[in-house]
Amino acid sequence: MSNQVYYEDVLEGQDIPSIKKEVTNVNILMYLSTVWLMDRIHFDYLFATQRRGLPNVVAPGPMGGDYYAQLLSEFAGEKGEVRKMSIQFRNFMVPPDVLMCGGKITRKYIEEGKGFIELDLWLKKDNGANCAPGKGLVRLPVREAKTS
Amino acid sequence: MSVSLLDELGWKKYIGSDTGSCTGEPVSARDIRRYALSIDDPNPVYFDDQAAKNGKYGGLTAPLAYVIWAVGVPGSEKGVKDLGEDGLASFIGVPEIPGVWTLGWVRGGDEFEFFKPVYVDDRVTVNGKIVEMKEKDGKSGKLVFVTSEFTYTNQNGELLARQRVTMIGTPRKES
């Protein structure tokens, strides 16, 4: 079964399917453990709030990049590829934020026979604020030229 | 006219300098699986051998942005007493230039270009250099912006990814 999206199937201005991400202490700890990151602002509540003036422990910013990478990988599908992704950190992701991770196609073009899609990306909290604006570049497969 | 913090620190001469090279241990299936779980990525390719073999890369690969962690966090594997107060010994993205820990750092942003994924068992090498430094006056003090570029390659010398990281530093308050 293929849900593959092709270059011809999408339009500039169109939103791509979004994903929901919940920021939890447990996910943060899983991430820190796997990458061996011991920065106390991510797991030590007293340190984060009293010593660093943060509202709570905060998720590592790169997790937002991982959410964008997943969003773009799912959009690209088996036959596409994620070429570029960028993220700017504006506000911390904080438990128990529930984020909508999504994007909008801003431009599509053919270059050397390949189909490219540029996107603006967002990680939106409940209040609609984009806590980490991003951009993506995905190559989508181009359908064979059809004879009419 | 306010004094330039970059001039005070004497950092402009480090623009263009190497941040050093580091090679990680082989990436394990466990690393990949746990990373995918931590970011709630349900894609079966990270958890199931057959799905990985049938998938686009023909084998088990890590989520794309994992590449930055595949080298380990250089210098971070230290005992508690050798870590700074915040739990960090070093932090990739903040080059080890004199005076760097007199500032408190937050990550401003990342830009990635992906070429090849990290496969299980890959040994990933990172090379980096400082490419830009800027400063401005923020609401609560001076800010410096240090941008570094990192290149990630595998054991075959193949280019996996390029990354630009901007770190934002501000003088630590007297405690």
Side-chain angles (χ1 to χ4, degrees), chain B residues 119-165:
Chain B
Y119 281 82
V120 67
D121 300 330
D122 275 358
R123 299 189 57 135
V124 177
T125 297
V126 64
N127 284 288
K129 69 174 191 260
I130 299 168
V131 294
E132 190 178 31
M133 291 194 191
K134 294 196 291 204
E135 65 183 298
K136 72 179 202 195
D137 287 330
K139 273 182 292 222
S140 39
K142 292 181 187 298
L143 300 170
V144 297
F145 298 78
V146 177
T147 301
S148 302
E149 264 182 16
F150 298 98
T151 305
Y152 298 90
T153 50
N154 65 16
Q155 61 283 357
N156 303 319
E158 294 165 306
L159 178 60
L160 302 177
R162 284 205 190 94
Q163 177 202 21
R164 276 174 71 102
V165 181

Side-chain angles (χ1 to χ4, degrees), chain B residues 65-79:
Chain B
Y66 178 74
V67 65
I68 67 175
W69 304 110
V71 296
V73 181
S76 71
E77 291 192 0
K78 293 194 159 112

Side-chain angles (χ1 to χ4, degrees), chain A residues 20-22 27-28 30-32 34-43 47 51-52 60-63 65-67 69-70 73-74 76-90 92, chain B residues 30-32 34-35 37-43 45-46 54-57 63-66 68-69 72-73 76-78 83-88 91 106-115 172 175:
Chain A
K20 186 170 87 164
K21 291 294 181 188
E22 296 181 31
N27 285 97
I28 291 171
M30 287 178 172
Y31 192 91
L32 299 175
T34 299
V35 305
W36 192 264
L37 179 62
M38 297 302 140
D39 193 337
R40 290 165 75 186
I41 62 171
H42 302 308
F43 65 86
F47 180 83
R51 293 287 290 154
R52 293 286 179 259
M63 290 182 83
D66 290 297
Y67 298 153
Q70 180 192 337
S73 296
E74 289 180 3
E78 288 284 307
K79 299 192 170 130
E81 54 180 324
V82 180
R83 290 291 187 90
K84 292 185 181 182
M85 180 272 289
S86 66
I87 180 168
Q88 272 186 59
F89 303 113
R90 293 268 169 82
F92 286 110
Chain B
R30 175 188 292 144
D31 293 331
I32 291 171
R34 290 182 177 183
Y35 193 77
L37 285 171
S38 75
I39 59 176
D40 285 321
D41 189 336
N43 193 331
V45 299
Y46 303 125
N54 295 339
K56 69 202 274 186
Y57 297 119
L64 286 178
Y66 178 74
I68 67 175
W69 304 110
V73 181
S76 71
E77 291 192 0
K78 293 194 159 112
L83 296 172
E85 174 199 57
D86 35 17
L88 296 172
F91 194 99
V106 291
R107 202 175 185 106
D110 288 45
E111 293 171 48
F112 289 91
E113 192 169 4
F114 299 110
F115 299 91
R172 290 183 189 273
S175 50

